[in-house]
């Protein structure tokens, strides 16, 4: 009626959604959409998940679709891989990816290699997901970033979301993919709200695996990061903008396959590159990006060596002040940018 009278109705506004709720929405929508999808892991059912990612799903879908498992990563990851080979689409939650080391044989030797070794006759549509990298005050055995570890292995797809849209869209894409996908989330982002567009609120919203996103346009230097460090890059870009330095911030989103084309196009525009990650420096994601740029056409556009900002090359300390200094901070990114630009 208002439209007939000449009034223009505004579209539904974007809303603030936490990463936790975005992941919960994705699981709910995919469980509803495809009866082959099921979730298993420690405390995912009756307790609603250790991080409440699966809140309400057991009550809605029951014991056959949301399954509590014993504390045996090797066991329940093996069950999930076998189920995927048999035609189901399991989502296997690790309480932290540090514990996925208990199941590394299942993830790499069983899930990642089977399609190739069966000449394509056996697909393994499985998602391994859970928190990755450092949390807060959980010391060395709970703070590793496994992006480089899993990104190293052919047969896997590896995604690493930052925002709520990343989290929802990548998880839905991962569940629908016919290949094994490792989804590396950040525990420290679970409670962080991000703006979610009207499109991202729909049930068919997916983020394509293998496509990076330019979070901020810039002309002086390219910042490339994944997961929580994307937020640090955005903060650093805001600081540097006040000094007349405009950073282009790329949210990698996917570790494997890596969208190097987007990085190359940005470097061709800015002529400078800084990579940022929470993982260790040796053989890291940043090292791979730098190597790919050096080997490709974008190398000719660089006006200075690429600079890496990484976690410290030590097991994670427990003490907070040492932990803070072992992870990239905004000041470290600002320093690296000024180094790259020689200012």
């Amino acid at each position: 009626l208002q439209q007939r009278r000449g009034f223009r109705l505004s579209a539904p506004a974007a809303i603030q959604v936490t990463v936790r709720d975005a992941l919960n929405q994705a699981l709910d929508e995919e469980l509803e959409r495809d009866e082959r999808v099921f979730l298993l892991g420690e405390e995912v059912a009756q307790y609603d998940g250790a991080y409440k990612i699966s809140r309400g799903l057991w009550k809605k879908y029951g014991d056959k679709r949301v399954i509590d498992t014993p504390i045996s990563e090797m066991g329940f990851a093996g069950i999930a891989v076998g189920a995927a080979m048999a035609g189901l689409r399991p989502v296997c939650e690790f309480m932290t990816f540090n514990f996925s080391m208990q199941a590394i044989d299942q993830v790499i030797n069983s899930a990642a290699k089977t399609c190739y070794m069966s000449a394509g006759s056996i697909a393994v549509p499985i998602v391994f997901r859970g928190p990755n990298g450092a949390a807060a005050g959980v010391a060395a055995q709970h703070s590793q970033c496994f992006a480089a570890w899993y990104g190293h292995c052919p047969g896997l797809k590896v995604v690493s979301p930052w925002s709520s849209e990343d989290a929802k869209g990548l998880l839905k894409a991962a569940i629908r993919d016919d290949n094994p996908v490792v989804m590396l989330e950040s525990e420290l982002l679970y409670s962080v709200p991000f703006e979610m567009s009207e499109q991202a609120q729909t049930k068919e919203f997916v983020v394509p695996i293998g496509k990076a996103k330019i979070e901020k346009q810039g002309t002086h230097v390219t910042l490339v990061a994944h997961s929580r460090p994307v937020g640090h890059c955005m903060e650093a870009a805001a600081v540097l903008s006040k000094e007349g330095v405009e950073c282009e911030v790329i949210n990698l989103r996917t570790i494997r396959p890596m969208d190097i084309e987007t990085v190359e196009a940005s470097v061709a525009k800015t002529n400078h590159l800084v990579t940022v990650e929470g993982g260790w420096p040796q053989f890291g994601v940043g090292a791979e990006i730098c190597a790919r740029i050096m080997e490709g056409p974008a190398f000719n556009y660089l006006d200075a060596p690429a600079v890496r900002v990484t976690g410290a090359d030590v097991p994670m300390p427990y003490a907070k002040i040492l932990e803070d200094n072992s992870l990239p901070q905004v000041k470290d990114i600002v320093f690296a940018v000024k180094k790259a630009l020689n200012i």
Side-chain angles (χ1 to χ4, degrees):
L1 184 61
Q2 285 179 314
Q3 282 177 315
R4 286 179 186 174
R5 291 174 178 170
F7 292 103
R8 208 163 119 197
L9 296 177
S10 59
I15 58 172
Q16 293 282 316
V17 177
T18 65
V19 171
R20 171 182 290 109
D21 288 340
L23 290 166
N24 181 266
Q25 285 177 27
L27 287 169
D28 189 8
E29 289 170 9
E30 294 306 301
L31 283 162
E32 182 181 63
R33 174 180 174 273
D34 188 342
E35 63 181 11
R36 296 172 297 174
V37 176
F38 70 98
L39 173 66
L40 78 167
E42 296 154 353
E43 299 183 345
V44 299
Q46 296 186 39
Y47 188 66
D48 279 342
Y51 307 99
K52 306 307 173 196
I53 304 298
S54 53
R55 183 180 62 248
L57 299 181
W58 174 68
K59 289 181 179 177
K60 184 173 181 179
Y61 295 101
D63 289 326
K64 289 187 176 180
R65 305 288 302 283
V66 184
I67 303 169
D68 277 330
T69 67
I71 305 174
S72 174
E73 283 77 14
M74 181 185 292
F76 67 73
I79 289 169
V81 172
M85 291 178 180
L88 298 179
R89 306 186 83 87
V91 179
C92 177
E93 177 180 304
F94 294 121
M95 199 174 286
T96 154
F97 260 94
N98 298 271
F99 301 157
S100 75
M101 291 293 97
Q102 299 289 331
I104 195 75
D105 181 57
Q106 309 287 13
V107 178
I108 304 301
N109 280 326
S110 296
K113 298 177 183 177
T114 293
C115 183
Y116 176 82
M117 295 182 72
S118 67
S121 63
I122 302 175
V124 189
I126 184 171
V127 179
F128 300 101
R129 54 154 298 270
N132 168 73
V138 291
Q141 292 179 333
H142 298 74
S143 298
Q144 287 171 243
C145 175
F146 289 93
W149 290 55
Y150 286 119
H152 180 65
C153 301
L156 291 178
K157 294 185 178 181
V158 183
V159 298
S160 183
W162 169 54
S163 67
S164 297
E165 286 197 7
D166 290 350
K168 180 179 180 181
L170 286 171
L171 181 52
K172 288 170 73 73
I175 292 171
R176 297 180 188 190
D177 202 289
D178 287 333
N179 300 281
V181 181
V182 171
M183 183 156 174
L184 304 171
E185 302 155 11
S186 169
E187 179 183 338
L188 294 176
L189 289 176
Y190 283 155
S191 297
V192 177
F194 289 87
E195 189 173 277
M196 186 173 276
S197 66
E198 180 190 357
Q199 181 190 10
Q201 296 169 43
T202 65
K203 291 186 177 182
E204 289 307 307
F205 173 75
V206 295
V207 169
I209 294 174
K211 185 63 181 170
K213 180 185 179 185
I214 299 175
E215 296 288 350
K216 178 186 178 297
Q217 297 282 347
T219 54
H220 295 126
V221 61
T222 298
L223 299 179
V224 186
H226 66 94
S227 191
R228 188 166 174 254
V230 175
H232 293 133
C233 287
M234 295 293 282
E235 291 179 45
V239 171
L240 287 159
S241 182
K242 295 175 182 176
E243 300 181 31
V245 176
E246 294 302 326
C247 302
E248 182 146 294
V249 179
I250 296 179
N251 173 8
L252 206 54
R253 280 180 161 176
T254 303
I255 308 302
R256 184 184 185 103
M258 186 177 286
D259 181 8
I260 203 66
E261 292 81 11
T262 294
V263 181
E264 286 176 335
S266 180
V267 169
K269 178 172 68 169
T270 68
N271 310 118
H272 297 88
L273 173 64
V274 175
T275 67
V276 186
E277 63 189 305
W280 294 317
Q282 192 155 321
F283 313 115
V285 174
E288 174 66 17
I289 294 169
C290 291
R292 299 274 283 273
I293 292 299
M294 186 191 74
E295 293 166 350
F299 176 73
N300 296 311
Y301 291 89
L302 281 176
D303 286 344
V307 180
R308 290 183 294 155
V309 180
T310 72
D313 198 19
V314 296
M316 182 61 69
Y318 172 72
K320 185 179 189 314
I321 190 167
L322 295 177
E323 181 184 64
D324 288 344
N325 282 280
S326 296
L327 293 167
Q329 306 295 323
V330 172
K331 62 181 175 60
D332 302 317
I333 301 169
V334 171
F335 178 81
V337 168
K338 291 183 176 181
K339 177 182 176 182
L341 295 174
N342 196 27
I343 57 175

